[in-house]
Amino acid sequence: MENDALKQAVQDMEAHFGGQANEFRGQVQVLVAPDKIVAAAQTLRDGHNFEIMADITAVDYGPDASPRFHVVYQFNSISEHIRLTLRVPLDGNEPTMDTMTGVFLNANWLERELWDMFGIRFEGHPDLRRILMPYDWEGHPLRKDYPLGYEEVQFTFNYDEIDQRKPRPKE
Amino acid sequence: MAMLERVETTLDELKHLVSEQAFEGDTLLLNMGPQHPSTHGVLRLLLELDGEIIVNCIPDIGFLHTGIEKNMEAKTYAKAEVMTDRLDYLNTMGNNLAYCLAVEKLAELDVPERAQVVRVIFAELQRIASHLVWLGTQALDLAAMSVFLYCFREREYILDIMEMCSGQRMMTTYIRPGGLWRDVPVEFEDAVRKFIAYMPGRIQQYEDLLTKNPIFIDRVRGIGKMTREQALAWGATGSTARASGIDYDIRKVQPYSGYEQYDFDVPTHTDGDVYARYLCRIEEMRQSVKIIDQAINRLPMGPFCSNNRKFVPPPRSELSRSMEAVIHHFKLWTEGYDVPKGSVYSVVESPRGELGVMLESDGGPKPYRIKWRTPSFSHIQLLSWIAKGHYVADLVAIIGSVDIVLGDTDR
Amino acid sequence: MGIEQKLGNMGVVTHRLEDLVNWSRTRAMWPMLFGLACCAIEMMAAQGAHFDMSRFGMELMRASPRQSDLMIVAGRVSRKMAPVLRRLYDQMPDPKWVVAMGDCASCGGVFNNYAIVQGVDEIVPVDVFVAGCPPRPEALIHGIVTLHEKVQGEKMKDWA
């Protein structure tokens, strides 16, 4: 980490928000607890000039792992030209955490996507409903225990048996 | 069939997004449906109109959701790259490049100089091709059809160059981790030089048609204004942000693939309206031609991909001579290569903005989690804010200027 | 000279009704704008000046299904879009034809997963499948010419 501004931001995270930083391939990732993340983001925005939150995403480590999810926030500073990643470990099959929409406006749809794809609820979100899947879909597709939905391919040798099962329009 | 039953959201679910006037019947709720000539893809907009003025604009996406991220988790790294083209289908080389940069960063692969220069040439050619489609469709929406035909004429030339190198016009998968798929053919240099010789004249043609045209200016000046603070709060990047005064281009700030060696300007404007975005993108096309000019002049001789046989397959001529090459070839094509454990976030500057790839690997041959941070996802969000108070006809100009691609948004 | 001899003095031409109606249907078939994804860009390129589609009478693409004959499903159809597709097909007046352009519309293409309908013939009856990812504009034109040949060969009892 050569950049001073980045070092200061990381030290702030470690000192006040209980973060654990680690550096991998030249990028810094700080592990922060779920109840502190909104305050940490606010500090980054106001105190360290991280104007843009580029992305919120999540990684699912499987139903047996603990913590099950890691929610990953990417912050970007335009004036200092630095980037920082914050990771939040979340546990359980119906996790909840606080919303980031009060701090960064574009968290609105990004958190909706996390709800849709992973089932992570955000308290205080103005509009939490499905965004990418159809309105009445059940299940959260990007979880590891959700099947891919792979359908058997219709080749010549199994053409007829699949043809009988395939839905056809009524005209 | 169950999948054909439910089409609409109900008004109950949207109550909190529309104003109270809608319930009294003072405003009209209009559906600008997924199939519409001006929405640039399958975007559904629920408009609340007071006469012709938009009071609220609620975008509804997901009509092109392809489950690419989940599908890539089930394939090896090489096979998953095929799907990356189909995300933002106007920036196919750029998507490949973003993916390859992420994989190379995780696996610590080196890329030779020749491959880097060719990658830059293709990224800029793709940028010009994407901006041509943007210009053509925006002009078409504003009823300037001849610009559409001219832009697609230029685009044919670029697609010919891509076909010459990779065999495919759009979904090339030419840029692979470690370098390129195969070396550029002999005719490549002449074709590119011919292209950059006549392209500035063509860009001037488009400018002559539109930039000082009073009808065009009336339709786009002062429309869809976005201030600098709004752009930052909504996470706008790329030309959409640069037109509002944010001077940030990833090619200059966090250069990848050798961009620090090229001399080019990054156009910015302060107005933040549709006209400013138009001017920014036209100037970007010119700068791209400048970059390609410098790149083709410095194209060095050398290998076109890395020698690291753990990740890059050996050339077929080696297979008849070396047993090791056969073993590497077999392992790479059946099992795939193992990428070390860890997570990276790599960004490139796509024609739309900041395209980021968060790639997390668990040490195996398949990507454990890949997330595409796409610029259009953020830009459609801010569409609902900058469209308020405008007429429906202006909305069409605004959607065109933000340059969204629904494949990018819905993944 | 030739045509006056054939026409005679009354200006009467005899021909089978089938051929005449089919000929007029093929020569001015208006496609509906149903570009969804990447194939739409190739469809727009086919519409452009290089691979001109207006020489087949398909110059204007009507956005409204009520005024079009041909639906070129260009691109991948997701599960959320499927009811919309069916509704638009139902809104088209007879006679209507469907061309499934590209691999995703024909069979699901590269995407064999929960989100994409595996072939648009699960939803609407398709007349011509055009393969390719995306198919070249020339391949699309070949598909359209194949459709024209199919329509030319239709019999009166098959008419809707």
Side-chain angles (χ1 to χ4, degrees), chain C residues 92-109:
Chain C
M92 282 167 71
D94 273 336
K96 54 190 172 185
W97 299 277
V98 175
V99 169
M101 174 182 177
D103 285 343
C104 293
S106 310
C107 64

Side-chain angles (χ1 to χ4, degrees), chain B residues 91-102:
Chain B
N91 181 32
T92 57
M93 293 282 198
N95 293 345
N96 285 338
L97 184 58
Y99 178 75
C100 290
L101 287 174

Side-chain angles (χ1 to χ4, degrees), chain A residues 25 27 58 61 83 127 135, chain B residues 16 60 106 254 360 369:
Chain A
R25 304 279 192 266
Q27 295 178 345
Y61 289 103
R83 284 183 187 266
D127 185 25
Y135 315 107
Chain B
H16 52 284
D60 190 8
L106 254 188
Q254 274 182 281
E360 170 141 350
R369 168 83 173 114

Side-chain angles (χ1 to χ4, degrees), chain C residues 38-87:
Chain C
C38 350
C39 284
I41 311 293
E42 289 293 54
M43 189 166 72
M44 284 175 3
Q47 195 76 15
H50 205 92
F51 307 97
D52 197 8
M53 253 198 342
S54 64
R55 53 195 161 137
F56 301 103
M58 296 194 170
E59 179 174 59
L60 26 84
M61 290 207 153
R62 287 294 181 207
S64 161
R66 305 275 184 206
Q67 295 167 4
S68 53
D69 310 301
L70 170 68
M71 182 157 86
I72 305 181
V73 184
R76 45 197 191 244
V77 180
S78 74
R79 299 238 175 245
K80 197 166 169 181
M81 190 69 189
V84 179
L85 176 68
R86 181 72 211 186
R87 190 185 257 192

Side-chain angles (χ1 to χ4, degrees), chain C residues 11-53:
Chain C
V12 172
V13 178
T14 56
H15 205 69
R16 282 188 308 181
L17 179 65
E18 270 171 5
D19 287 344
L20 195 61
V21 171
N22 287 337
W23 174 84
S24 61
R25 280 178 179 177
T26 53
R27 289 303 178 263
M29 208 185 267
W30 288 356
M32 181 169 80
L33 263 187
F34 209 71
L36 298 166
C38 350
C39 284
I41 311 293
E42 289 293 54
M43 189 166 72
M44 284 175 3
Q47 195 76 15
H50 205 92
F51 307 97
D52 197 8
M53 253 198 342

Side-chain angles (χ1 to χ4, degrees), chain B residues 238-246 248-249 266-269 280 284 349:
Chain B
S239 314
T240 320
R242 286 198 280 273
S244 300
I246 301 174
Y248 187 71
D249 187 333
V266 173
T268 50
H269 276 267
C280 273
E284 262 177 34
E349 176 85 13

Side-chain angles (χ1 to χ4, degrees), chain B residues 371-397:
Chain B
K371 163 82 204 278
W372 292 83
R373 187 266 176 211
T374 50
S376 306
F377 196 75
S378 314
H379 293 171
I380 297 192
Q381 272 190 289
L382 57 81
L383 196 68
S384 53
W385 278 79
I386 59 179
K388 284 194 185 162
H390 288 105
Y391 293 120
V392 177
D394 294 333
L395 177 68
V396 163

